[in-house]
Amino acid sequence: MRVPPVLSVHRHDTDNRASITLTGEINLNSAPLVHASLERCLHDGIRAIDIDVTAVTFCDHNSLNGFLYALMHTAAAGGSLQLHHPSPALERLVALTGYGSLFLALPDAHAGYRTPPQPLLPPPAAQWLAPTLPVLPGGVL
């Protein structure tokens, strides 16, 4: 029998800012732990939450929903929540959903500054239109 991967949550507070480090997989089973940790920050008066996801090995769309839920509640309380050092897969998941604002550009030890991912935009409307066809004499194609 396979043992499910464990998620660990480490929190360090400085004044009204919390730094949370997540390690392991964030999935349907472990997402409630992340949610409870973020809710606890708000309950404790924390208004700036920085989440280091460097060591997160898996994060699905349900987990992303949890981060967005926490982001909305933190913003409603006058605070901020940002994910730091995402994996390329998590970065792409966030970019595809258009929530690139979850990320803060931070120096990467190996690559310098990383810019936040931009949401993928559809091509301009003109590219979706059928090309115009020449009109033949007599108006018949």
Side-chain angles (χ1 to χ4, degrees):
M1 180 167 89
R2 183 173 175 256
V3 176
V6 176
L7 176 73
S8 68
V9 178
H10 175 74
R11 176 178 157 187
H12 175 74
D13 295 353
T14 306
D15 299 323
N16 69 341
R17 177 176 290 279
S19 296
I20 297 176
T21 302
L22 302 176
T23 304
E25 289 190 8
I26 308 172
N27 54 34
L28 189 59
N29 294 324
S30 60
L33 175 61
V34 175
H35 175 77
S37 299
L38 298 175
E39 285 290 319
R40 187 70 193 168
C41 286
L42 292 177
H43 182 281
D44 293 346
I46 300 295
R47 294 299 174 256
I49 304 171
D50 296 305
I51 304 172
D52 183 349
V53 292
T54 304
V56 171
T57 56
F58 178 81
C59 183
D60 63 9
H61 67 282
N62 292 315
S63 307
L64 183 59
N65 284 339
F67 286 133
L68 295 174
Y69 177 84
L71 175 65
M72 289 187 302
H73 279 84
T74 305
S80 66
L81 179 143
Q82 294 190 315
L83 301 178
H84 299 278
H85 309 293
S87 68
L90 179 55
E91 203 169 330
R92 179 164 166 70
L93 179 63
V94 172
L96 287 172
T97 61
Y99 290 104
S101 63
L102 279 173
F103 294 109
L104 176 68
L106 289 178
D108 185 314
H110 302 289
Y113 282 91
R114 288 176 35 180
T115 57
Q118 299 300 315
L120 298 178
L121 301 175
Q127 292 182 10
W128 291 90
L129 301 176
T132 57
L133 298 173
V135 177
L136 299 175
V140 180
L141 295 177

